[in-house]
Amino acid sequence: MFRSIVRMTAAFTLATVTLASPVYAQSDEAFYDGKIISFLSGHSAGGGYDTYVRTLARHLGKHIPGNPQVVVRNVPGAGSLVLTNQVANTLESDGTVIASVARGMAFEPLFGNEQALYKPGEMNWLGSLNNETSLCVAWHEAKVKNWQDLKTEALSVGSTGAGADTNLFPKVLSDLFGFKFNIIAGYPGGNDVMLAMERGEVEGRCGWSWSSAKSTRGEWIAQLNEGMEQGKVNILFQMSLKKHSDLPDVPLVTEFAETEKQRQVLNLLFARQVMGRPVVAPPGVPEARVAMLRKAIAMAVEDPEFLKDAQNQSLGINFVGGEEIQAIVQEAYEYPDDVIAVIKDAM
């Protein structure tokens, strides 16, 4: 179901957004004059999501008619579920509030999270700065050294909340393959999980974006440091619909599937990776303003100053347009019930 969407390239999406520029009414063109856009980050400061938010915020305003100021504020909680509920139900829907939430938030109602008080298809998905690959890693002192060890050795992994990748991924993989994960939940953000690994509170993380790993903990990873035989973490496997070009020798989790149902479950679970760093606006924002915001983000990720800023922080940029994200969200809710049930039960 997702194959046709996944095969669409970021370049095609950007070209579509750029060429199909909407015609705005004068009131829409002038709306952002003198305004402040609140760009809310659903994670704690210093982590991967937050770094992407602050980088985009520095360059976004100049691509929006009226050149509004863009101000970042952190609203962490439950892996960004707190903020997602606010976006859907209580925040201003005039186009002055946008948010960065975890890529899995669009799927929480589908998988039966009763705390997810929103309809993802009614929210306005503006785009994603990256098509992500996630890692499952073990601290170098843990007994688990490779994915095969997970069959016999337990690995304690940190999690940021019920809806986060760090909680869902290890649960589903435990159910599918019998991997032995002990999930320690409740950390405010991904950066806190990494600090917990350093302190010895947990032994690993299963749901760590490769882009974030490179930009925030590159010195831990042997693959990024020539001559380093072993890093601070061992990469057990990568999680996405295809291997990242940086990691040709690291196993891909979909390679572990032995049945068609296992493959379908993994395809649904990791469809969220395509929307690796999603930006969303509340339901009810006027269509013309949604189009303006989508176009502004698409233009910002082509901005040489933005790209230099991202490169200086080792942030991977692989843009996915808002229309494509919206389609992924809508199609997810059409997947077969028995496949959805596997992920739902894990939650």
Side-chain angles (χ1 to χ4, degrees), residues 94-108:
D94 62 355
T96 60
V97 177
I98 61 176
S100 166
V101 299
R103 64 186 68 97
M105 289 298 103
F107 304 91
E108 287 301 292

Side-chain angles (χ1 to χ4, degrees), residues 19-343:
L19 293 174
S21 300
V23 177
Y24 308 121
Q26 181 60 37
S27 59
D28 292 309
E29 281 279 12
F31 174 76
Y32 287 103
D33 288 351
K35 294 286 198 307
I36 295 176
I37 293 179
S38 295
F39 197 166
L40 306 180
S41 173
H43 297 82
S44 57
Y49 278 99
D50 188 66
T51 302
Y52 273 89
V53 169
R54 293 178 185 276
T55 304
L56 177 60
R58 287 194 288 270
H59 304 274
L60 182 59
K62 65 181 176 181
H63 297 289
I64 300 173
N67 305 130
Q69 182 181 0
V70 180
V71 177
V72 176
R73 181 164 63 89
N74 294 89
V75 186
S80 82
L81 181 61
V82 169
L83 177 57
T84 310
N85 279 331
Q86 292 179 9
V87 169
N89 298 291
T90 64
L91 296 179
E92 291 288 341
S93 59
D94 62 355
T96 60
V97 177
I98 61 176
S100 166
V101 299
R103 64 186 68 97
M105 289 298 103
F107 304 91
E108 287 301 292
L110 177 66
F111 299 142
N113 187 345
E114 295 181 354
Q115 302 302 313
L117 307 176
Y118 52 88
K119 295 181 179 180
E122 295 180 357
M123 300 166 73
N124 290 294
W125 300 91
L126 304 179
S128 172
L129 298 190
N130 211 359
N131 182 338
E132 279 289 355
T133 295
S134 287
L135 308 178
C136 193
V137 304
W139 191 246
H140 66 285
E141 295 176 339
K143 291 183 179 179
V144 172
K145 304 297 182 185
N146 53 57
W147 70 268
Q148 293 92 338
D149 289 342
L150 289 169
K151 294 279 191 177
T152 56
E153 297 285 350
L155 182 73
S156 64
V157 292
S159 168
T160 59
D165 293 354
T166 48
N167 189 75
L168 180 59
F169 288 178
K171 281 190 173 183
V172 172
L173 297 178
S174 292
D175 289 345
L176 286 183
F177 304 122
F179 292 163
K180 298 181 182 296
F181 288 113
N182 292 328
I183 302 171
I184 312 299
Y187 291 97
N191 194 50
D192 304 280
V193 174
M194 309 317 291
L195 292 174
M197 289 172 61
E198 290 184 285
R199 293 193 296 261
E201 296 174 8
V202 298
E203 298 174 299
R205 177 176 177 179
C206 199
W208 187 23
S209 294
W210 174 237
S211 58
S212 177
K214 289 194 295 183
S215 63
T216 65
R217 295 292 193 282
E219 72 278 6
W220 286 11
I221 301 169
Q223 283 86 343
L224 294 175
N225 296 279
E226 187 175 352
M228 182 187 289
E229 294 185 4
Q230 181 180 11
K232 289 289 187 179
V233 294
N234 292 313
I235 303 178
L236 307 180
F237 49 85
Q238 54 184 304
M239 296 175 286
S240 188
L241 298 181
K242 63 180 182 179
K243 280 190 175 184
H244 197 287
S245 58
D246 290 345
L247 302 168
D249 298 324
V250 175
L252 181 67
V253 69
T254 53
E255 297 171 352
F256 306 156
E258 297 178 348
T259 68
E260 181 60 25
K261 187 173 181 179
Q262 286 178 336
R263 281 186 282 273
Q264 288 182 323
V265 170
L266 293 175
N267 284 340
L268 175 57
L269 181 62
F270 297 121
R272 69 180 63 197
Q273 300 298 83
V274 180
M275 48 193 295
R277 303 286 180 180
V279 181
V280 66
V285 176
E287 290 183 10
R289 292 176 201 162
V290 171
M292 291 167 70
L293 291 168
R294 283 177 173 171
K295 183 181 178 184
I297 295 174
M299 292 174 66
V301 299
E302 288 280 289
D303 185 334
E305 292 182 358
F306 167 83
L307 292 172
K308 183 177 180 180
D309 195 355
Q311 184 178 17
N312 289 340
Q313 300 174 84
S314 300
L315 298 180
I317 303 297
N318 185 9
F319 179 68
V320 183
E323 293 89 347
E324 186 173 346
I325 300 298
Q326 202 84 39
I328 289 172
V329 172
Q330 291 169 352
E331 290 195 26
Y333 287 76
E334 300 172 2
Y335 234 82
D337 290 342
D338 63 330
V339 172
I340 294 171
V342 175
I343 301 174

